[in-house]
Amino acid sequence: MKAIISASELAGDLAGPHPPTLLDVRWQMSVATAAGAPPFDGRAAHAAGHIPGAVFVDLDADLAGPPGPSGRHPLPDVEHFGAAMRAAGVRSDRPVVVYDGGQGWAAARAWWMLRWTGHPEVRVLDGGLAAWDGPSASGTEEPAPGDFRPVPGALPLLDADGAAALARTGLLLDARAAERYRGEVEPIDPVGGHIPGAVSAPTAGNVTGTGRFLPASELADRFRALGAEEGTEVGVYCGSGVSAAHQVLALTLAGIPAALYVGSWSEWSGDSGRPVAVGPDPQ
């Protein structure tokens, strides 16, 4: 099963007799910006222009629970998630395509949530909205209600203890920027550094300059060089479980199954009892 779709393929599918359910998951990570800069409003961006038929899904409200001890983007309540997906028109027997503004992180989080809860066919628009050169629609869509009922467990999931163990026995990849891994800067979470034993693997290394994924063979080479040998158990974390979903998607394209630590560094660093490593060395 393919996990990504090109803009031209999507255009063909949308024009066909059985178009996919299309979800717009535009989102921007909240970090300190220039004083007075307004926060990104994905819903407003969607209303101003989107791929025809796409329904907006709010990452913070629909694809994550409230921030707290379990991290900035913990798993949402499954019933709430299911209701949000049904309201967006998601059906169990109909393919789903998700896209964001082009970075791919938010779309990958939606892809992972739907796949983890059992939807059989979900793809991410490669390159996001920036890759789309077809028609645009404004306003909001009113889809027919869907019937998707989420059943968690279809993809592997890690908690903090599982991530710590995997860093010792397998391969735990840190998808954040390298300077955050090394602990040189930390713009969001309480402390900089990484989970002891984790290997730095910034998400930016998965894509080209246009935001499209590297070919599967190049992704496979990248992850093998990082230690993803055959038979090695692989897990991924990031700041809050969003960009790490993009890394899991890239690993999937490379043919490498991987578990997601959703709580990620925002959960780990919030617990003063957990060890922190700094510098370029995993340990």
Side-chain angles (χ1 to χ4, degrees), residues 82-113:
M85 293 301 98
R86 291 190 295 275
V90 175
R91 299 185 57 84
S92 297
D93 61 354
R94 185 179 180 187
V96 177
V97 173
V98 293
Y99 72 87
D100 57 24
Q103 190 175 38
W105 295 3
R109 174 68 177 233
W111 167 84
W112 187 89
M113 282 296 308

Side-chain angles (χ1 to χ4, degrees):
M1 182 187 67
K2 292 181 63 177
I4 59 174
I5 185 172
S6 69
S8 60
E9 289 174 317
L10 175 60
D13 287 357
L14 290 174
H18 303 291
T21 301
L22 190 57
L23 305 180
D24 180 339
V25 200
R26 271 177 281 180
W27 171 83
Q28 184 170 298
M29 181 173 63
S30 298
V31 296
T33 56
F40 177 75
D41 188 337
R43 194 176 299 275
H46 171 84
H50 56 265
I51 299 175
V55 177
F56 180 73
V57 171
D58 188 316
L59 185 150
D60 293 310
D62 301 328
L63 305 180
S70 296
R72 281 183 281 111
H73 291 105
L75 290 173
D77 174 80
V78 172
E79 290 304 315
H80 171 83
F81 171 70
M85 293 301 98
R86 291 190 295 275
V90 175
R91 299 185 57 84
S92 297
D93 61 354
R94 185 179 180 187
V96 177
V97 173
V98 293
Y99 72 87
D100 57 24
Q103 190 175 38
W105 295 3
R109 174 68 177 233
W111 167 84
W112 187 89
M113 282 296 308
L114 283 163
R115 291 289 295 117
W116 176 67
T117 53
H119 197 288
E121 190 172 353
V122 189
R123 289 174 291 174
V124 169
L125 175 58
D126 195 17
L129 186 61
W132 178 255
D133 59 0
S136 178
S138 59
T140 58
E141 307 284 347
E142 297 294 337
D147 65 359
F148 178 64
R149 299 285 173 179
V151 179
L155 294 181
L157 177 68
L158 293 172
D159 60 12
D161 289 340
L166 186 58
R168 296 189 300 268
T169 63
L171 176 65
L172 183 65
L173 299 176
D174 184 321
R176 297 172 301 157
E179 59 269 22
R180 292 181 69 190
Y181 171 89
R182 295 191 297 265
E184 297 167 358
V185 298
E186 182 43 66
I188 308 172
D189 294 312
V191 63
H194 58 270
I195 297 173
V199 174
S200 180
T203 305
N206 298 328
V207 296
T208 67
T210 62
R212 291 176 173 84
F213 280 98
L214 295 172
S217 60
E218 293 184 26
L219 289 170
D221 289 343
R222 180 192 188 213
F223 293 123
R224 276 197 297 268
L226 290 167
E229 302 292 343
E230 186 174 353
T232 300
E233 188 177 356
V234 180
V236 187
Y237 75 96
C238 60
S240 67
V242 177
S243 67
H246 188 277
Q247 191 94 293
V248 172
L249 175 55
L251 284 154
T252 299
L253 297 176
I256 302 169
L260 177 64
Y261 172 26
V262 173
S264 285
W265 190 247
S266 59
E267 178 185 40
W268 185 278
S269 63
D271 181 348
S272 61
R274 292 200 176 275
V276 171
V278 295
D281 187 271
Q283 300 299 335

